[in-house]
Amino acid sequence: MSRTVVRVYSDYKSPYAYVAVRPAYQLAEDYGLELEWRPYTLRIEEYLGAVETRNAHCWRRVRYSYMDARRYANKQGLILKGTKRVYNGYYANAGMLWAQQAGVFRPYHDTVFDRFWKQELDIDVLDEMKALVAGIGGDPEAYAAWIEGPGRAEMDANIEEAEAMGVFGVPMFVLDGELFWGGDRIDLLKERLAEKRAAAGGSPPSV
């Protein structure tokens, strides 16, 4: 019997995507799922404005979001510091696709999130990303060649596919075409998984 696949759209510069990683891993373990990770780069300036032009309302939303995400981070023992600026996420997010092809996804994924939210990594500086790839045992030159070459078209196709499915934010979980936005929707996703398993004649997981 084939394993159920849940696609997860994520962005390394989203605090909510960061704090949803461990719950996603746990979900996969509890339900015997295959997680299919895909990048979706948030265009922050489109909904929060450029830093220099944000109004008071936008800043209240920003401050609340970091405070709220930090609550989830604290529960997991994670460090989540506010970002220093608005980042271009291409090198890191497209690197998610490269890392899967190169067989280094999990160390790449975990290390990028961890170091970025500790303010130890500028994800839009190619030399820093190459150093990270080398540090996890990957080939930094192969990464750079892909990221500045075929990776751009692959990333564009990935975003186009995501938006055609209705994706607009992260973390976004997709099960059989149904979208679940946010780590706080994992419980609803569990309900669907239980229904799917029951329909197939299986028993629910012992979690």
Side-chain angles (χ1 to χ4, degrees), residues 13-176:
K13 64 182 187 295
S14 164
Y16 285 113
Y18 180 33
V19 298
V21 170
R22 289 187 184 177
Y25 289 159
Q26 189 64 53
L27 178 74
E29 182 178 335
D30 291 343
Y31 284 80
L33 305 174
E34 177 183 344
L35 296 180
E36 188 178 73
W37 292 89
R38 292 291 182 270
Y40 183 77
T41 301
L42 299 174
R43 295 182 286 272
I44 293 174
E45 292 186 356
E46 291 185 8
Y47 63 93
L48 286 175
V51 171
E52 59 273 12
T53 61
R54 286 177 183 167
N55 59 29
H57 173 79
C58 286
W59 279 116
R60 288 195 298 272
R61 289 176 60 191
V62 169
R63 285 192 293 270
Y64 176 83
S65 294
Y66 280 116
M67 180 275 295
D68 187 45
R70 195 169 289 116
R71 290 188 290 206
Y72 287 99
N74 290 341
K75 288 168 68 86
Q76 300 178 45
L78 300 173
I79 295 174
L80 194 158
K81 297 180 179 180
T83 55
K84 296 179 288 186
R85 55 186 172 85
V86 176
Y87 289 81
N88 181 323
Y90 170 72
Y91 288 148
N93 285 341
M96 185 191 300
L97 299 174
W98 175 85
Q100 291 176 62
Q101 297 170 19
V104 293
F105 170 72
R106 183 67 180 263
Y108 177 90
H109 195 54
D110 293 347
T111 305
V112 173
F113 264 129
D114 178 68
R115 291 189 55 195
F116 178 70
W117 288 104
K118 288 179 178 176
Q119 294 186 353
E120 296 175 352
L121 175 69
D122 287 331
I123 57 173
D124 52 5
V125 176
L126 183 57
D127 284 345
E128 291 196 25
M129 291 301 302
K130 287 174 64 178
L132 181 143
V133 167
I136 62 168
D139 182 339
E141 298 308 323
Y143 160 79
W146 187 89
I147 216 79
E148 295 287 25
R152 292 193 178 274
E154 191 165 331
M155 185 67 175
D156 287 345
N158 175 80
I159 296 295
E160 184 177 348
E161 179 187 30
E163 294 184 342
M165 295 170 61
V167 174
F168 60 87
V170 298
M172 185 78 78
F173 301 85
V174 186
L175 172 66
D176 298 335

